[in-house]
Amino acid sequence: VRTQVVVIGAGPAGLVLANALQQAGIDCVVAERETRRHVVNRARAGMLEHRTVELLRGLGLADGLLAKGSRRSSCEFRWDDRRVVLRYGELTGGREHHVYPQQHLVADLLDAFTAHGGTVLFSHPAVALSAGTVTLWPPRAVAPIDIGCDFVAGCDGFHGISRRTLHEHVGLHERSYPFGWVTALIQPPGGTDEVVYALHPNGFAGRMPRTATTSRCYLQCATADQVRDWPDERVRDELGRRLGEALPVRAEIAEKSVMRLRSSMVGGMTHANVALLGDAAHLVTPAGAKGMNLAVQDAVALADGLRVHYREGLRDPLPRYGRERLDKAWLAQEFSHWMLDLISGPEPGDPFARNLRLARVRRLLESRSFATAFARTYVGM
Ligand SMILES: Cc1cc2nc3c(=O)[nH]c(=O)nc-3n(C[C@H](O)[C@H](O)[C@H](O)COP(=O)(O)OP(=O)(O)OC[C@H]3O[C@@H](n4cnc5c(N)ncnc54)[C@H](O)[C@@H]3O)c2cc1C
């Protein structure tokens, strides 16, 4: 079996790439380890930057999110008894975030690709890859199959085989943080209007809208904490305490997990004919909501490079893709790292650290030039 591009992974990066290649008349096959059902139910991100939406719209892939998603152009910071709203849309000429759950976007991308004859091999994990061949293990097969190709697009996330295979060639720079975040989907009282960042003496709490009735919540916790340390009652109490709003006892709490916060960046995003995209190349913490956006933007950039390669004979399209996207990913990484440090730290209970953090937040909210710089990066300009 042979194709022009094998895409490993049917997340946002892989599926945007597959759609863009299909539209450019470039043959590709998507290989995904999980089932379709698993992929379209995996709730994760939900904040799409203005630029990401424009890219998706340009590919005709934004109809679902424009019809069913919502928009946000402000976020609220809370500490002590203060609640201050930062209207970043007003500082960026009306740019805003679109709120649309990642799993809904993934479902739309799958539908668009398969409606035009695209092939996604579900339950086909990639088990080996080289510059010209990807080896897949089909379900219930006794032996793997090889697919030959011109290019391999490693879109299989941080734990996938692509990054691990390229690791020894391109290297990896990592940072882990001395605290974690408990995260869960909840139904907060009074709808899910604002994005909220609360800086409480017990640690950070955050709430990001996902659908009309559901928000993803985050609670800073100790690195050693396990999900069993955070029964629903404790999550509900602590969210209520840190956000300053009581959650109804019956508010449903779903998909609870403890995130070990870390950032990682590959030293290079390409090697030979293999390109890394999205989380396979760069992992950012949820602070700043950059991960899914980077994944989509990588995919559009790689598709552009491959289109010029096949149409106009541009040789070696990957190095340029790798250089440009790595620079962009470091900018997003820097913002995410800065934002994490703004809202969350290892020292709940340390008044010096807390007051420094609050002074930074006040400067952000009180200085128009500081707020404008924040707003532009936050919304992805
Ligand atoms: C709880 C949580 C909240 C988040 N919140 C935000 C947010 O608000 N905003 C934001 O922008 N980002 C957020 N993110 C990050 C965002 O979800 C990721 O950055 C995004 O999913 C990256 O997309 P991707 O396509 O690169 O990788 P993934 O979505 O991880 O997709 C990789 C795919 O590859 C498949 N795969 C893995 N190994 C193999 C293999 N060997 N063979 C074949 N297939 C394989 C996987 O099953 C998966 O389908 C959040 C993440 C989490 C976990």
Side-chain angles (χ1 to χ4, degrees):
V1 190
R2 195 171 167 83
T3 184
Q4 288 174 305
V5 183
V6 174
V7 178
I8 307 177
L15 292 171
V16 170
L17 177 65
N19 275 284
L21 294 178
Q22 184 182 57
Q23 291 180 17
I26 299 169
D27 280 343
C28 69
V29 168
V30 182
E32 165 59 47
R33 182 182 60 192
E34 306 291 347
T35 61
R36 186 183 199 284
R37 185 190 169 93
H38 180 96
V39 165
V40 299
N41 284 298
R42 195 168 41 197
R44 286 180 164 182
M47 304 273 290
L48 290 158
E49 295 171 351
H50 171 83
R51 181 166 34 143
T52 306
V53 174
E54 287 308 301
L55 292 172
L56 291 169
R57 199 201 296 258
L59 290 165
L61 298 171
D63 292 355
L65 79 91
L66 292 173
K68 292 178 270 174
S70 59
R71 298 169 186 215
R72 294 295 183 290
S73 55
S74 63
C75 58
E76 185 175 290
F77 287 85
R78 296 181 182 175
W79 70 96
D80 300 335
D81 56 354
R82 297 195 59 187
R83 295 182 174 203
V84 183
V85 176
L86 197 164
R87 298 189 196 290
Y88 55 84
E90 291 174 6
L91 299 168
T92 54
R95 305 291 203 291
E96 51 195 1
H97 282 103
H98 291 247
V99 178
Y100 193 55
Q102 178 169 328
Q103 69 274 25
H104 296 183
L105 178 66
V106 162
D108 294 351
L109 294 170
L110 271 173
D111 288 347
F113 184 58
T114 52
H116 294 95
T119 302
V120 182
L121 301 170
F122 287 105
S123 306
H124 275 66
V127 291
L129 66 99
S130 66
T133 309
V134 176
T135 306
L136 305 178
W137 205 288
R140 293 176 299 281
V142 290
I145 53 167
D146 284 344
I147 303 188
C149 57
D150 302 340
F151 297 99
V152 179
C155 308
D156 46 348
F158 182 71
H159 299 289
I161 192 170
S162 307
R163 186 192 59 75
R164 279 187 277 127
T165 304
L166 258 62
H167 189 151
E168 65 179 274
H169 303 290
V170 300
L172 186 72
H173 312 298
E174 285 196 281
R175 172 69 48 100
S176 36
Y177 300 91
F179 48 91
W181 282 3
V182 180
T183 179
L185 293 175
I186 63 156
Q187 297 183 328
T192 59
D193 258 346
E194 292 285 5
V195 171
V196 178
Y197 300 106
L199 287 80
H200 189 271
N202 289 2
F204 166 72
R207 154 153 98 61
M208 321 284 146
R210 286 292 182 264
T211 66
T213 54
T214 316
S215 286
R216 180 170 286 287
C217 286
Y218 298 102
L219 278 168
Q220 184 181 328
C221 65
T223 28
D225 280 6
Q226 309 284 330
V227 172
R228 64 172 175 272
D229 298 318
W230 287 88
D232 288 0
E233 201 182 320
R234 183 176 177 201
V235 170
R236 197 176 287 117
D237 285 354
E238 201 55 29
L239 275 174
R241 187 171 298 119
R242 295 190 198 177
L243 292 172
E245 60 189 22
L247 284 180
V249 178
R250 296 162 71 101
E252 200 185 315
I253 296 181
E255 308 222 8
K256 193 169 49 183
S257 63
V258 174
M259 304 179 78
R260 314 271 164 235
L261 295 176
R262 71 174 151 190
S263 306
S264 87
M265 300 286 294
V266 288
M269 288 176 63
T270 66
H271 176 71
N273 282 12
V274 182
L276 299 176
L277 295 84
D279 280 12
H282 35 66
L283 199 63
V284 296
T285 72
K290 295 291 175 196
M292 177 165 60
N293 292 286
L294 283 174
V296 171
Q297 292 164 18
D298 285 352
V300 174
L302 182 62
D304 284 348
L306 292 177
R307 190 170 46 230
V308 178
H309 167 76
Y310 283 111
R311 284 234 181 111
E312 296 163 26
L314 170 78
R315 296 184 58 177
D316 252 356
L318 298 196
R320 182 169 170 193
Y321 157 80
R323 272 193 310 276
E324 290 183 359
R325 290 309 301 164
L326 195 60
D327 283 354
K328 299 278 188 207
W330 270 113
L331 287 174
Q333 185 66 265
E334 190 280 330
F335 178 73
S336 183
H337 186 82
W338 175 88
M339 180 98 189
L340 183 69
D341 191 46
L342 181 76
I343 57 180
S344 202
E347 65 302 84
D350 172 351
F352 187 85
R354 173 172 161 76
N355 281 299
L356 272 186
R357 188 159 282 118
L358 293 182
R360 275 191 219 123
V361 170
R362 286 205 316 276
R363 183 185 294 129
L364 170 66
L365 298 170
E366 288 163 12
S367 150
R368 189 174 172 86
S369 52
F370 201 45
T372 304
F374 167 84
R376 290 175 61 88
T377 317
Y378 188 54
V379 82
M381 287 174 77

mmCIF file of all heavy atoms in Angstrom, residues 274-305:
data_model
loop_
_atom_site.group_PDB
_atom_site.id
_atom_site.type_symbol
_atom_site.label_atom_id
_atom_site.label_comp_id
_atom_site.label_asym_id
_atom_site.label_seq_id
_atom_site.Cartn_x
_atom_site.Cartn_y
_atom_site.Cartn_z
ATOM 1 N N VAL A 274 9.898 13.206 7.990
ATOM 2 C CA VAL A 274 8.899 13.139 9.067
ATOM 3 C C VAL A 274 8.742 14.530 9.688
ATOM 4 O O VAL A 274 9.749 15.187 10.013
ATOM 5 C CB VAL A 274 9.334 12.142 10.163
ATOM 6 C CG1 VAL A 274 8.260 12.043 11.245
ATOM 7 C CG2 VAL A 274 9.626 10.774 9.575
ATOM 8 N N ALA A 275 7.491 14.979 9.834
ATOM 9 C CA ALA A 275 7.208 16.259 10.511
ATOM 10 C C ALA A 275 6.379 15.984 11.755
ATOM 11 O O ALA A 275 5.521 15.104 11.747
ATOM 12 C CB ALA A 275 6.430 17.179 9.570
ATOM 13 N N LEU A 276 6.665 16.713 12.803
ATOM 14 C CA LEU A 276 5.849 16.624 14.024
ATOM 15 C C LEU A 276 4.910 17.825 14.075
ATOM 16 O O LEU A 276 5.303 18.945 13.721
ATOM 17 C CB LEU A 276 6.735 16.622 15.267
ATOM 18 C CG LEU A 276 7.728 15.468 15.399
ATOM 19 C CD1 LEU A 276 8.598 15.652 16.639
ATOM 20 C CD2 LEU A 276 6.998 14.123 15.460
ATOM 21 N N LEU A 277 3.692 17.583 14.555
ATOM 22 C CA LEU A 277 2.695 18.655 14.669
ATOM 23 C C LEU A 277 2.025 18.573 16.040
ATOM 24 O O LEU A 277 1.923 17.490 16.633
ATOM 25 C CB LEU A 277 1.594 18.497 13.611
ATOM 26 C CG LEU A 277 1.963 18.637 12.124
ATOM 27 C CD1 LEU A 277 2.503 17.339 11.570
ATOM 28 C CD2 LEU A 277 0.735 19.068 11.317
ATOM 29 N N GLY A 278 1.481 19.697 16.493
ATOM 30 C CA GLY A 278 0.669 19.728 17.705
ATOM 31 C C GLY A 278 1.434 19.246 18.927
ATOM 32 O O GLY A 278 2.646 19.475 19.069
ATOM 33 N N ASP A 279 0.711 18.533 19.804
ATOM 34 C CA ASP A 279 1.310 18.098 21.075
ATOM 35 C C ASP A 279 2.500 17.160 20.869
ATOM 36 O O ASP A 279 3.320 16.992 21.774
ATOM 37 C CB ASP A 279 0.263 17.369 21.929
ATOM 38 C CG ASP A 279 -0.664 18.326 22.660
ATOM 39 O OD1 ASP A 279 -0.658 19.528 22.331
ATOM 40 O OD2 ASP A 279 -1.414 17.872 23.549
ATOM 41 N N ALA A 280 2.605 16.524 19.720
ATOM 42 C CA ALA A 280 3.769 15.668 19.468
ATOM 43 C C ALA A 280 5.047 16.508 19.424
ATOM 44 O O ALA A 280 6.133 16.004 19.700
ATOM 45 C CB ALA A 280 3.594 14.914 18.149
ATOM 46 N N ALA A 281 4.892 17.781 19.083
ATOM 47 C CA ALA A 281 6.071 18.657 18.971
ATOM 48 C C ALA A 281 6.235 19.554 20.189
ATOM 49 O O ALA A 281 7.358 19.875 20.583
ATOM 50 C CB ALA A 281 5.949 19.517 17.715
ATOM 51 N N HIS A 282 5.117 19.997 20.746
ATOM 52 C CA HIS A 282 5.199 20.979 21.836
ATOM 53 C C HIS A 282 4.008 20.795 22.770
ATOM 54 O O HIS A 282 2.868 20.768 22.340
ATOM 55 C CB HIS A 282 5.196 22.405 21.281
ATOM 56 C CG HIS A 282 4.343 22.566 20.055
ATOM 57 N ND1 HIS A 282 2.983 22.423 20.080
ATOM 58 C CD2 HIS A 282 4.664 22.793 18.769
ATOM 59 C CE1 HIS A 282 2.504 22.588 18.865
ATOM 60 N NE2 HIS A 282 3.498 22.805 18.037
ATOM 61 N N LEU A 283 4.318 20.664 24.038
ATOM 62 C CA LEU A 283 3.259 20.523 25.036
ATOM 63 C C LEU A 283 3.257 21.796 25.869
ATOM 64 O O LEU A 283 4.296 22.173 26.413
ATOM 65 C CB LEU A 283 3.596 19.320 25.917
ATOM 66 C CG LEU A 283 2.481 18.701 26.728
ATOM 67 C CD1 LEU A 283 1.405 18.134 25.807
ATOM 68 C CD2 LEU A 283 3.039 17.585 27.598
ATOM 69 N N VAL A 284 2.115 22.470 25.915
ATOM 70 C CA VAL A 284 2.000 23.644 26.782
ATOM 71 C C VAL A 284 0.984 23.326 27.872
ATOM 72 O O VAL A 284 0.122 22.477 27.680
ATOM 73 C CB VAL A 284 1.568 24.910 25.998
ATOM 74 C CG1 VAL A 284 2.616 25.298 24.974
ATOM 75 C CG2 VAL A 284 0.221 24.712 25.313
ATOM 76 N N THR A 285 1.074 23.987 29.012
ATOM 77 C CA THR A 285 0.076 23.745 30.061
ATOM 78 C C THR A 285 -1.243 24.385 29.597
ATOM 79 O O THR A 285 -1.238 25.202 28.670
ATOM 80 C CB THR A 285 0.502 24.378 31.400
ATOM 81 O OG1 THR A 285 0.366 25.799 31.284
ATOM 82 C CG2 THR A 285 1.928 23.995 31.769
ATOM 83 N N PRO A 286 -2.364 24.059 30.259
ATOM 84 C CA PRO A 286 -3.623 24.672 29.823
ATOM 85 C C PRO A 286 -3.669 26.196 30.053
ATOM 86 O O PRO A 286 -4.554 26.861 29.510
ATOM 87 C CB PRO A 286 -4.685 23.976 30.679
ATOM 88 C CG PRO A 286 -4.054 22.726 31.175
ATOM 89 C CD PRO A 286 -2.587 23.006 31.278
ATOM 90 N N ALA A 287 -2.739 26.754 30.827
ATOM 91 C CA ALA A 287 -2.763 28.204 31.088
ATOM 92 C C ALA A 287 -2.564 28.948 29.769
ATOM 93 O O ALA A 287 -1.569 28.740 29.089
ATOM 94 C CB ALA A 287 -1.658 28.572 32.077
ATOM 95 N N GLY A 288 -3.518 29.795 29.415
ATOM 96 C CA GLY A 288 -3.419 30.562 28.182
ATOM 97 C C GLY A 288 -4.121 29.896 27.011
ATOM 98 O O GLY A 288 -4.281 30.511 25.962
ATOM 99 N N ALA A 289 -4.533 28.643 27.157
ATOM 100 C CA ALA A 289 -5.345 27.944 26.133
ATOM 101 C C ALA A 289 -4.707 27.956 24.748
ATOM 102 O O ALA A 289 -5.320 28.351 23.755
ATOM 103 C CB ALA A 289 -6.756 28.557 26.083
ATOM 104 N N LYS A 290 -3.465 27.541 24.656
ATOM 105 C CA LYS A 290 -2.751 27.598 23.372
ATOM 106 C C LYS A 290 -2.665 26.256 22.647
ATOM 107 O O LYS A 290 -2.407 26.216 21.443
ATOM 108 C CB LYS A 290 -1.322 28.127 23.594
ATOM 109 C CG LYS A 290 -1.255 29.563 24.081
ATOM 110 C CD LYS A 290 -1.713 30.506 22.995
ATOM 111 C CE LYS A 290 -1.787 31.941 23.459
ATOM 112 N NZ LYS A 290 -2.550 32.808 22.580
ATOM 113 N N GLY A 291 -2.812 25.112 23.368
ATOM 114 C CA GLY A 291 -2.471 23.815 22.792
ATOM 115 C C GLY A 291 -3.226 23.466 21.519
ATOM 116 O O GLY A 291 -2.625 23.137 20.488
ATOM 117 N N MET A 292 -4.544 23.522 21.570
ATOM 118 C CA MET A 292 -5.332 23.132 20.396
ATOM 119 C C MET A 292 -5.096 24.127 19.249
ATOM 120 O O MET A 292 -5.080 23.748 18.075
ATOM 121 C CB MET A 292 -6.816 23.080 20.764
ATOM 122 C CG MET A 292 -7.695 22.755 19.590
ATOM 123 S SD MET A 292 -9.363 22.257 20.035
ATOM 124 C CE MET A 292 -10.023 23.658 20.908
ATOM 125 N N ASN A 293 -4.900 25.391 19.603
ATOM 126 C CA ASN A 293 -4.668 26.406 18.573
ATOM 127 C C ASN A 293 -3.364 26.153 17.834
ATOM 128 O O ASN A 293 -3.300 26.224 16.607
ATOM 129 C CB ASN A 293 -4.662 27.797 19.230
ATOM 130 C CG ASN A 293 -6.041 28.158 19.744
ATOM 131 O OD1 ASN A 293 -6.932 28.468 18.962
ATOM 132 N ND2 ASN A 293 -6.247 28.077 21.053
ATOM 133 N N LEU A 294 -2.310 25.836 18.580
ATOM 134 C CA LEU A 294 -1.041 25.528 17.932
ATOM 135 C C LEU A 294 -1.182 24.325 17.009
ATOM 136 O O LEU A 294 -0.616 24.292 15.913
ATOM 137 C CB LEU A 294 0.035 25.218 18.985
ATOM 138 C CG LEU A 294 0.656 26.402 19.723
ATOM 139 C CD1 LEU A 294 1.584 25.898 20.822
ATOM 140 C CD2 LEU A 294 1.428 27.305 18.769
ATOM 141 N N ALA A 295 -1.933 23.321 17.461
ATOM 142 C CA ALA A 295 -2.101 22.102 16.666
ATOM 143 C C ALA A 295 -2.747 22.426 15.313
ATOM 144 O O ALA A 295 -2.276 21.980 14.257
ATOM 145 C CB ALA A 295 -2.952 21.086 17.433
ATOM 146 N N VAL A 296 -3.806 23.229 15.332
ATOM 147 C CA VAL A 296 -4.500 23.591 14.084
ATOM 148 C C VAL A 296 -3.568 24.420 13.195
ATOM 149 O O VAL A 296 -3.463 24.213 11.973
ATOM 150 C CB VAL A 296 -5.792 24.379 14.398
ATOM 151 C CG1 VAL A 296 -6.410 24.943 13.127
ATOM 152 C CG2 VAL A 296 -6.788 23.491 15.133
ATOM 153 N N GLN A 297 -2.856 25.361 13.814
ATOM 154 C CA GLN A 297 -2.005 26.259 13.025
ATOM 155 C C GLN A 297 -0.821 25.498 12.408
ATOM 156 O O GLN A 297 -0.416 25.768 11.277
ATOM 157 C CB GLN A 297 -1.553 27.437 13.898
ATOM 158 C CG GLN A 297 -2.735 28.348 14.243
ATOM 159 C CD GLN A 297 -2.484 29.304 15.402
ATOM 160 O OE1 GLN A 297 -1.341 29.547 15.777
ATOM 161 N NE2 GLN A 297 -3.546 29.848 15.959
ATOM 162 N N ASP A 298 -0.255 24.530 13.151
ATOM 163 C CA ASP A 298 0.802 23.678 12.569
ATOM 164 C C ASP A 298 0.274 22.977 11.325
ATOM 165 O O ASP A 298 0.956 22.888 10.296
ATOM 166 C CB ASP A 298 1.222 22.572 13.566
ATOM 167 C CG ASP A 298 2.090 23.081 14.703
ATOM 168 O OD1 ASP A 298 2.514 24.248 14.674
ATOM 169 O OD2 ASP A 298 2.349 22.287 15.639
ATOM 170 N N ALA A 299 -0.931 22.428 11.442
ATOM 171 C CA ALA A 299 -1.489 21.623 10.350
ATOM 172 C C ALA A 299 -1.668 22.464 9.088
ATOM 173 O O ALA A 299 -1.341 22.025 7.983
ATOM 174 C CB ALA A 299 -2.826 21.018 10.794
ATOM 175 N N VAL A 300 -2.185 23.677 9.262
ATOM 176 C CA VAL A 300 -2.403 24.532 8.086
ATOM 177 C C VAL A 300 -1.048 24.895 7.457
ATOM 178 O O VAL A 300 -0.893 24.879 6.225
ATOM 179 C CB VAL A 300 -3.204 25.797 8.487
ATOM 180 C CG1 VAL A 300 -3.306 26.762 7.316
ATOM 181 C CG2 VAL A 300 -4.599 25.394 8.973
ATOM 182 N N ALA A 301 -0.052 25.174 8.298
ATOM 183 C CA ALA A 301 1.269 25.540 7.769
ATOM 184 C C ALA A 301 1.905 24.363 7.013
ATOM 185 O O ALA A 301 2.470 24.542 5.925
ATOM 186 C CB ALA A 301 2.186 25.982 8.921
ATOM 187 N N LEU A 302 1.801 23.153 7.555
ATOM 188 C CA LEU A 302 2.406 22.002 6.863
ATOM 189 C C LEU A 302 1.670 21.723 5.550
ATOM 190 O O LEU A 302 2.304 21.444 4.518
ATOM 191 C CB LEU A 302 2.388 20.755 7.761
ATOM 192 C CG LEU A 302 3.043 19.531 7.100
ATOM 193 C CD1 LEU A 302 4.526 19.780 6.799
ATOM 194 C CD2 LEU A 302 2.914 18.288 7.989
ATOM 195 N N ALA A 303 0.348 21.821 5.583
ATOM 196 C CA ALA A 303 -0.424 21.586 4.348
ATOM 197 C C ALA A 303 -0.021 22.597 3.276
ATOM 198 O O ALA A 303 0.124 22.240 2.098
ATOM 199 C CB ALA A 303 -1.920 21.676 4.644
ATOM 200 N N ASP A 304 0.184 23.854 3.662
ATOM 201 C CA ASP A 304 0.614 24.876 2.686
ATOM 202 C C ASP A 304 1.945 24.483 2.060
ATOM 203 O O ASP A 304 2.129 24.558 0.850
ATOM 204 C CB ASP A 304 0.767 26.244 3.368
ATOM 205 C CG ASP A 304 -0.582 26.892 3.632
ATOM 206 O OD1 ASP A 304 -1.593 26.397 3.084
ATOM 207 O OD2 ASP A 304 -0.629 27.880 4.394
ATOM 208 N N GLY A 305 2.907 24.064 2.920
ATOM 209 C CA GLY A 305 4.225 23.683 2.415
ATOM 210 C C GLY A 305 4.144 22.491 1.471
ATOM 211 O O GLY A 305 4.789 22.465 0.412
#
